């Protein structure tokens, strides 16, 4: 199935590059919907896992891209996206941009910096292709259940061309503006999330130290102006929200390492734009510190355990620098 409709690229074969935690289930959902998917990953382990999940596998990036009308990337960070696009050969001939047929639609679903996304868009257009940035929220469970939310940046026609594919992997597709603005929306949203999780966690620890029960604070704040997703869905203390990661020893969920990464991207954007975002900058520093240690693979709500431990240490040693 490699036809192209007049309105863009529909029913085209899809090269899916990056079959990790997110990419494998996303690609599997496309394959399940009857789309001609050719998955590729550098890691044999990821390839095998994706194959078992139902993703047809190509032997190389070149084989995945041959005859494809769409290239979807789901890679860790910006340098991987740039590297995959431009290749390792001096002339870029082994990169996805050179391998793809002219007019291919590139959809990058990775979470990367806004300036990297804009650069990727420029390179894509210069190579004669079309591109959108389409980072996601919803995590691995959303990827598996095809309930992801896509935040999309790009030209209207390209976003509309991508939409039918995105709708097979998610249930919400928001066109946020021109190239890079999908990443901008993701960055701003996750900065809200990081800051609000720290605020909620500090409030619970302060409440505990004042003699307030977690249940009482939850009952008040969840029904008052303190209400937010970090409190009512991903509550950092066990009990009030039975499905939150705090009830299973902070098994993610959304790992602190990923929150630290996303806040690092926010910090980069804050600095690049000269935005006076002190809380966002501080949240980036606090999550970076937490993710350096054994917090990395715990849910991001586990930062409350760090706040609690530091509070206890400071109380034990009021003159110290805990
Ligand atoms: P992952 O590390 O599990 O998967 C990335 C895969 O890319 C790996 O299997 C790696 O081998 C592969 N890869 C790297 N370079 C490659 C290349 N040049 N060619 C082919 N394959 C290559 O990461 P993930 O959890 O799937 O996350 C992917 C992206 O989605 C990240 O940007 C992440 O921030 C974002 N994201 C993740 C989540 C989550 O909950 N995991 C949620 C939202 C967004």
């Amino acid at each position: 199935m490699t036809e192209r409709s007049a309105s863009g690229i529909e029913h085209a074969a899809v090269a899916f590059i990056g079959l990790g935690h997110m990419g494998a289930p996303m690609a599997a959902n496309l394959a399940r919907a009857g789309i001609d998917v050719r998955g590729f990953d550098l890691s044999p382990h990821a390839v095998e896992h994706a194959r078992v999940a139902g993703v047809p596998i190509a032997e190389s990036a070149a084989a995945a891209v041959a005859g494809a009308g769409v290239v979807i990337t789901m890679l860790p960070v910006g340098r991987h996206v740039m590297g995959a696009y431009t290749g390792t050969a001096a002339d870029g001939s082994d990169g996805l941009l050179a391998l793809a047929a002219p007019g291919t639609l590139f959809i990058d679903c990775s979470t990367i910096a806004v300036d990297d996304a804009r650069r990727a868009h420029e390179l894509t257009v210069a190579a004669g292709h079309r591109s959108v940035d389409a980072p996601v929220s919803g995590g691995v469970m959303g990827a598996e259940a095809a309930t992801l939310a896509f935040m999309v940046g790009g030209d209207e026609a390209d976003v509309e061309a991508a939409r039918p594919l995105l709708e097979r992997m998610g249930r919400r597709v928001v066109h946020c503006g021109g190239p890079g603005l999908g990443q901008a929306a993701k960055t701003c949203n996750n900065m809200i999330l990081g800051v609000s999780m720290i605020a909620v966690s500090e409030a619970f620890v302060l409440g505990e130290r004042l003699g307030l029960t977690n249940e009482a604070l939850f009952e008040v704040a969840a029904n008052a102006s303190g209400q937010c997703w970090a409190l009512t869905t991903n509550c950092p203390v066990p009990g009030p929200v039975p499905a939150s990661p705090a009830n299973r020893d902070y098994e993610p969920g959304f790992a602190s390492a990923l929150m630290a990464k996303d806040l690092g991207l926010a910090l980069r954007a804050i600095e690049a734009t000269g935005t006076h975002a002190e809380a966002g900058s501080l949240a980036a520093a606090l999550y970076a510190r937490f993710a350096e240690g054994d917090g990395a693979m715990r849910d991001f709500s586990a930062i409350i355990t760090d706040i609690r431990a530091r509070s206890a240490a400071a109380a034990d040693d009021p003159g110290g620098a805990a």
Side-chain angles (χ1 to χ4, degrees):
M1 247 194 335
T2 52
E3 352 153 351
R4 292 172 189 212
S5 80
S7 65
I9 299 163
E10 286 174 39
H11 311 300
V14 174
F16 205 114
I17 312 296
L19 302 171
H21 292 95
M22 297 292 289
M26 290 166 70
N29 281 329
L30 290 181
R32 216 169 282 132
I35 291 163
D36 179 1
V37 176
R38 301 92 179 270
F40 176 71
D41 196 293
L42 292 174
S43 150
H45 175 75
V47 163
E48 203 38 47
H49 184 261
R51 192 196 306 274
V52 169
V55 181
I57 302 296
E59 289 310 310
S60 62
V65 168
V70 178
V71 174
I72 299 179
T73 40
M74 193 50 165
L75 303 171
V77 296
R79 82 186 134 79
H80 297 102
V81 176
M82 293 300 184
Y85 276 21
T86 58
T88 51
D91 61 356
S93 57
D94 58 345
L96 298 173
L97 297 178
L99 293 168
T104 295
L105 176 63
F106 279 73
I107 305 175
D108 181 35
C109 295
S110 327
T111 302
I112 67 173
V114 176
D115 48 8
D116 279 344
R118 290 186 170 142
R119 179 81 189 120
H121 175 79
E122 285 165 11
L123 290 172
T124 308
V125 170
H129 306 304
R130 310 158 64 183
S131 94
V132 298
D133 47 296
V136 305
S137 74
V140 175
M141 280 169 63
E144 286 169 351
T147 56
L148 294 170
F150 287 90
M151 294 145 267
V152 193
D155 298 338
E156 181 79 31
D158 298 336
V159 174
E160 289 315 308
R163 189 180 290 276
L165 286 174
L166 301 181
E167 286 177 343
R168 289 187 162 108
M169 298 183 283
R171 66 175 166 208
R172 203 167 147 72
V173 178
V174 180
H175 184 192
C176 300
L181 292 180
Q183 296 292 352
K186 168 89 181 166
T187 286
C188 293
N189 178 72
N190 279 23
M191 190 172 87
I192 296 173
L193 183 58
V195 170
S196 59
M197 180 55 81
I198 291 170
V200 168
S201 299
E202 288 183 351
F204 272 114
V205 174
L206 177 60
E208 288 166 6
R209 300 181 73 80
L210 290 170
L212 191 60
T213 65
N214 291 333
E215 289 71 20
L217 177 56
F218 181 86
E219 183 63 21
V220 170
N223 295 292
S225 44
Q227 192 277 334
C228 60
W229 191 92
L231 175 71
T232 56
T233 300
N234 216 76
C235 188
V237 296
V241 180
S244 80
N247 297 281
R248 43 174 205 269
D249 198 22
Y250 300 98
E251 182 193 317
F254 184 50
S256 298
L258 287 174
M259 176 53 88
K261 173 202 157 183
D262 289 359
L263 286 170
L265 298 178
L267 189 59
R268 191 163 145 183
I270 287 167
E271 288 169 357
T273 55
T275 305
H276 197 71
E278 291 179 84
S281 304
L282 184 55
L286 296 182
Y287 269 106
R289 183 179 69 188
F290 186 55
E292 267 169 20
D294 58 4
M297 296 321 293
R298 306 181 85 193
D299 186 74
F300 78 115
S301 58
I303 197 150
I304 193 171
T305 60
D306 188 57
I307 295 166
R308 200 181 276 122
R310 285 174 190 277
S311 302
D316 288 348
D317 180 14

